Amino acid sequence: MSQVLHTPVHDAAPQTAAQALAAIRERVLAATEHGTPLDIQGGNTKRWYGQTPEGEPLDMGTYRGIVSYDPAELVITARAGTPLAEIEAALAERAQILPFEPPHFGPGATLGGCIAAGLAGPRRPHVGAPRDFVLGAVVMNGQAQVLHFGGQVMKNVAGYDVSRVLAGSLGTLGVLLELSIKVLPCPVAEATLRFELPQAQAIDQLNRWGGQPLPLMGSAWHNGLLSVRLGGAAAAIDAARAAMGGESVDAIEAHGFWQALREQTHPFFAAAPVAGDGQPLWRLSVPPTTPPLAHGDEHLIEWGGAQRWWITSRSAAEVRAIAAAVGGHATLFRHGDKSAGVFTPQSAALDAIGKRLQQAFDPSRIFNRHRLYR
């Protein structure tokens, strides 16, 4: 039998978590009764993401703690208000990681906010998105009922896989209370290679490599420089380095580079700062083989060509038309006029599914009202 480590931090005083849950339930009941919207908050490190928050704050910071951690089974379960840093520290003790490299965007980042935002770092195209690692979730709906979905193992499900639907929902369906997440071992070895290539050639090269059995774990192109991260067995990395060529990057420098890319402290993002004025920063999701989209603006390319960061003063309609023309879509990530919508409008079919889910979970629309769509 595998050993379960890290008993709940706050369960040394069991009433603490129970009191926090009771307070959350009381707030939800009152909000539903009076039709008062609630703005669900964790560490507030991603408050700027999505449409402007509405409603009274519902603080989840007191509902925290690692409930269980089984390194042998590669599963960690924690309350939504648990700091990401605490979870990552526990995993690091056992040489394990959150595979999708969630960005923190600040020291107060929490597990609930990480899953609600659904954002991932450079490793995402090679291992999967946050939703792919959510095994189970405990959620409070608009009637203050506590609902359990999924579990702590991978399995097929019939109907909606609600645990994964919650990832990226920005809290519009309910209050995330507890999450069970699949984790993975740290790569045995890593290496970063750099190449001087123009944008079009870099995109072609990334797609050629993407069709080969290479241990790719991240890529980024900016200002004529392509960086590629490898991760896995030492022998596989050595073989890949010999086949790919390029210039090897010092391990400390490489770690700082990928960290800066994940947390958007890379110099590219300086023109679209977290706070204050700055040109709008757009995130375009496009087919990876898409050639360069526009000239004269700042671009950074990730995810093997599938994610394009674009700092531009062009209108939302123009940016979205450019993305749609190649079969993609665009999100206004930071700054800019949100009146045209942060996210690309959904198709009628997807919109109908979303409304049915919201009606089932939160018929009074009290949770993070209009955070996804106005």
Side-chain angles (χ1 to χ4, degrees):
M1 180 179 294
S2 59
Q3 181 183 10
V4 179
L5 306 179
H6 295 283
T7 54
V9 174
H10 290 287
D11 280 13
Q15 70 275 15
T16 304
Q19 289 171 352
L21 183 59
I24 294 168
R25 183 175 184 275
E26 184 177 340
R27 289 290 309 283
V28 171
L29 285 172
T32 298
E33 180 181 354
H34 298 101
T36 305
L38 293 176
D39 173 19
I40 305 170
Q41 300 179 10
N44 278 335
T45 63
K46 303 172 186 67
R47 187 173 175 77
W48 44 266
Y49 180 57
Q51 298 289 154
T52 303
E54 297 180 13
E56 298 178 354
L58 177 62
D59 181 19
M60 295 299 297
T62 58
Y63 197 66
R64 58 191 288 175
I66 297 174
V67 176
S68 64
Y69 172 30
D70 190 337
E73 295 297 329
L74 300 174
V75 177
I76 190 166
T77 300
R79 300 187 182 103
T82 310
L84 270 182
E86 182 179 315
I87 290 173
E88 290 173 339
L91 295 176
E93 292 177 11
R94 305 294 289 187
Q96 294 179 351
I97 57 172
L98 294 172
F100 47 92
E101 289 185 298
H104 292 215
F105 297 137
T110 62
L111 178 62
C114 154
I115 298 303
L119 300 175
R123 207 180 299 266
R124 187 260 183 249
H126 310 290
V127 298
R131 65 176 178 270
D132 300 314
F133 293 89
V134 178
L135 301 178
V138 180
V139 186
M140 183 176 290
N141 69 8
Q143 288 77 45
Q145 298 169 322
V146 176
L147 310 177
H148 296 252
F149 299 98
Q152 294 187 339
V153 296
M154 291 283 192
K155 63 179 181 180
N156 294 324
V157 295
Y160 293 123
D161 188 349
V162 175
S163 299
R164 299 185 184 188
V165 168
L166 294 167
S169 67
L170 286 178
T172 56
L173 295 178
V175 181
L176 288 175
L177 297 175
E178 187 176 297
L179 293 150
S180 293
I181 307 294
K182 181 79 170 180
V183 302
L184 291 179
C186 295
V188 175
E190 284 191 353
T192 294
L193 305 175
R194 282 191 178 148
F195 309 80
E196 291 187 6
L197 294 171
Q199 185 179 167
Q201 190 175 343
I203 293 170
D204 289 342
Q205 186 63 74
L206 284 169
N207 279 276
R208 282 195 293 271
W209 285 332
Q212 300 174 20
L214 297 170
L216 301 174
M217 284 296 164
S219 63
W221 178 91
H222 176 241
N223 199 24
L225 196 63
L226 173 64
S227 300
V228 178
R229 181 174 59 182
L230 307 172
I237 289 179
D238 288 343
R241 292 170 71 168
M244 296 169 68
E247 176 186 354
S248 295
V249 180
D250 173 78
I252 295 177
E253 179 185 350
H255 175 78
F257 173 81
W258 297 110
Q259 184 80 0
L261 197 64
R262 184 185 79 171
E263 299 300 331
Q264 295 193 350
T265 57
H266 183 281
F268 166 81
F269 297 100
V274 175
D277 295 329
Q279 289 193 77
L281 172 66
W282 289 87
R283 181 184 65 188
L284 277 63
S285 297
V286 299
T289 55
T290 302
L293 292 173
H295 300 285
D297 293 312
E298 278 287 302
H299 297 266
L300 187 148
I301 298 175
E302 285 191 273
W303 297 5
Q307 180 163 266
R308 312 285 176 95
W309 296 102
W310 188 7
I311 297 174
T312 181
S313 57
R314 301 187 190 211
S315 69
E318 186 176 1
V319 172
R320 291 200 164 112
I322 290 172
V326 296
H329 61 86
T331 298
L332 179 58
F333 203 74
R334 295 189 196 270
H335 300 298
D337 181 7
K338 293 185 177 182
S339 63
V342 169
F343 303 101
T344 298
Q346 292 181 311
S347 66
L350 287 177
D351 184 60
I353 292 173
K355 287 179 178 177
R356 287 200 298 270
L357 281 171
Q358 191 168 52
Q359 181 64 28
F361 280 88
D362 181 22
S364 298
R365 305 292 195 272
I366 62 169
F367 296 131
N368 286 15
R369 187 179 292 175
H370 304 310
R371 189 71 186 274
L372 281 173
Y373 299 98
R374 303 303 300 177

